[in-house]
Amino acid sequence: MDKTRANTLEYNPDLCNLCGICLVVCPQGVFERVDSEIRLSNPDACMECGACALNCPRGALSVDSGVGCASAMIKAALTGGEPTCGCDEGCC
Amino acid sequence: MKSKDSNECCCSGESVPCCSGKTNDTAINPTPEIKETVSKVTIHEWLNHVLARLGVNRSGWRVEPGLYRLGNPGPDSPVFVTANYQLSFDALRNAVKGIEGYILVLDTKGVNVWCAAGKGTFGTGELVSRIKDTGLSNVVNRHRVIVPQLGATGVAAHEVTEQTGFKVDYGPIRASDIPEFLRTGKATTGMRRVRFNLLDRLVLIPVELNQTFTRMLGIAAAAFFLDGKIAASGVAGAASAGLFGVPILLPWLPVKDYSNKGFLLGGAVGVATAAAALKDDNGRLAHKTLRALSYMLLLPPISAYISLNYTGVTPYASPSQVKREIYKYIPVMAGMAGAGIIMNTAQRILRLLKG
């Protein structure tokens, strides 16, 4: 992981069609519409939930979203597996 | 284990649709079956909420998926989408008191909207097949569903529209804002931001307590038998600092990393325990100094570890941050605890040797 960055959110303004769905879905106010463009005004607030990337119809956003719970990640680090959150019961 | 948690869990998991119900491409159900529900949440149901918050019967709080009629809705009434977790469903119907509408309950295996969306069970696939299976397009004129904003982690609005013709309107984060959202037709910025006030944080404690209590009791008991009541009180204090102190004091602890928030409070407990030990201990200065130091090393990691585990339920920590903290602080915690155990054992042996 890049140590200089707080998170994995990436935005390519060239692909953006200004639909503004990212402004709607982001629970942290990372995006802002300034004049006629959308900017990452507060990228450090990103919690990597992935809602913006999933809902962007133009693929202008990407973020590695994943399990954010420490115990699952510690377990994954120890066992070498992928972190899973045990919503497993009766699932998959 | 935290990972089994289904109310305030941690699964901001992969957004690959998993167990997204039937992937049914067949024609729209012509005679929709609509179940009845009411806005009123009964006392019995409120009691169930308490049990669910305590982590009792964790995967049992399920609502049958499908389409529900709330009051006497007509073809122009709104359609609200939610998860089949009892607390999600009840929060929604309680919030929309007096509003007639439909509730479309997705099968999220009894997991709340946010966690299920992270996992993908509250997702595009399940929403699409639920819209088709319930024959929703024969029930309402306006082909529009209101999906809670926190469901956006699993639902791609444009794909739902492509596959069903239904427009996805992201509603406010909190169900209690729905009446205003319906009245004004839009969600304010405030409705679109997660918040984490004292009450939001307090309700997380019971589940965390449930998951840690036995372990902490074991450690405190071991400390009591090996070292006495000061050590046991120290362990209880450090565990409480992590379990209660961190979530309650979260915004006021002047450090960013969750582990450090725990270290800070655990450090205070460590110092207090060390002071108590120095006061109580009549042994040689070297022995009691070693003992006091061992508490200052052993206790903070307990609070820090519990604190680090809260990251999964807070709306701030990103997986990148948690990962960074794990690699940075877990070795520190292990090192401190190890050194503390060695020091404590050493002073014990020294005392035995020197009578």
Side-chain angles (χ1 to χ4, degrees), chain B residues 25 33-35 39 70 83 99 108 119 134 218 238 252 291 317 342:
Chain B
D25 280 85
E33 185 223 335
I34 309 179
K35 294 180 263 290
S39 291
L70 188 70
I99 296 167
T108 60
K119 181 104 180 158
T134 55
W252 301 291
R291 181 177 163 207
I342 291 170

Side-chain angles (χ1 to χ4, degrees), chain B residues 24-325:
Chain B
N24 195 342
D25 280 85
T26 50
I28 287 156
N29 183 352
T31 48
E33 185 223 335
I34 309 179
K35 294 180 263 290
E36 302 280 340
T37 187
V38 289
S39 291
K40 181 141 180 61
V41 178
T42 63
I43 291 181
H44 176 72
E45 285 161 337
W46 286 120
L47 285 175
N48 284 347
H49 295 184
V50 174
L51 290 178
R53 288 285 185 193
L54 287 168
V56 177
N57 183 17
R58 206 172 276 160
S59 54
W61 308 106
R62 299 185 185 199
V63 180
E64 200 190 328
L67 188 61
Y68 288 78
R69 189 185 284 125
L70 188 70
N72 239 330
D76 293 314
S77 300
V79 181
F80 304 101
V81 181
T82 192
N84 78 326
Y85 178 47
Q86 190 77 51
L87 265 67
S88 312
F89 182 70
D90 291 352
L92 172 62
R93 61 198 179 92
N94 185 49
V96 296
K97 262 191 199 111
I99 296 167
E100 322 223 63
Y102 295 96
I103 299 181
L104 186 65
V105 178
L106 304 191
D107 186 2
T108 60
K109 319 288 169 194
V111 173
N112 71 66
V113 172
W114 170 246
C115 294
K119 181 104 180 158
T121 44
F122 189 102
T124 309
E126 166 66 9
L127 179 54
V128 166
S129 59
R130 203 55 68 179
I131 288 174
K132 289 182 180 170
D133 289 357
T134 55
L136 191 60
S137 61
N138 294 334
V139 178
V140 286
N141 292 334
R142 274 187 306 171
H143 287 183
R144 165 179 180 242
V145 286
I146 299 171
V147 173
Q149 185 190 333
L150 289 184
T153 304
V155 173
H158 56 284
E159 282 176 27
V160 173
T161 308
E162 217 166 85
Q163 293 178 46
T164 62
F166 272 79
K167 184 176 176 290
V168 171
D169 252 355
Y170 286 113
I173 286 182
R174 287 164 293 275
S176 54
D177 288 327
I178 289 176
E180 194 191 328
F181 170 76
L182 287 179
R183 233 180 358 258
T184 60
K186 69 186 277 278
T188 62
T189 307
M191 293 183 202
R192 294 236 171 269
R193 300 283 179 273
V194 280
R195 57 163 198 227
F196 204 41
N197 62 28
L198 186 60
L199 187 65
D200 297 327
R201 302 196 299 275
L202 286 177
V203 298
L204 300 175
I205 294 175
V207 153
E208 210 64 36
L209 184 65
N210 185 322
Q211 288 168 20
T212 326
F213 188 74
T214 330
R215 223 180 305 168
M216 287 303 141
L217 196 66
I219 298 177
F224 180 77
F225 288 116
L226 292 170
D227 197 273
K229 60 176 191 284
I230 289 182
S233 319
V235 170
S240 306
L243 275 168
F244 305 105
V246 168
I248 291 171
L249 300 174
L250 194 73
W252 301 291
L253 293 170
V255 282
K256 182 175 177 282
D257 290 356
Y258 285 77
S259 313
N260 281 338
K261 291 177 195 286
F263 274 128
L264 198 68
L265 293 181
V269 174
V271 169
T273 311
L278 285 175
K279 197 165 164 237
D280 177 71
D281 199 324
N282 298 320
R284 296 184 187 196
L285 184 65
H287 298 167
K288 59 186 195 183
T289 308
L290 266 181
R291 181 177 163 207
L293 279 174
S294 77
Y295 296 147
M296 288 167 69
L297 285 168
L298 263 167
L299 299 178
I302 294 177
S303 317
Y305 185 78
I306 296 174
S307 179
L308 178 57
N309 272 286
Y310 266 113
T311 50
V313 293
T314 68
Y316 304 119
S318 67
S320 295
Q321 184 192 342
V322 180
K323 199 173 186 178
R324 198 164 45 233
E325 281 206 33

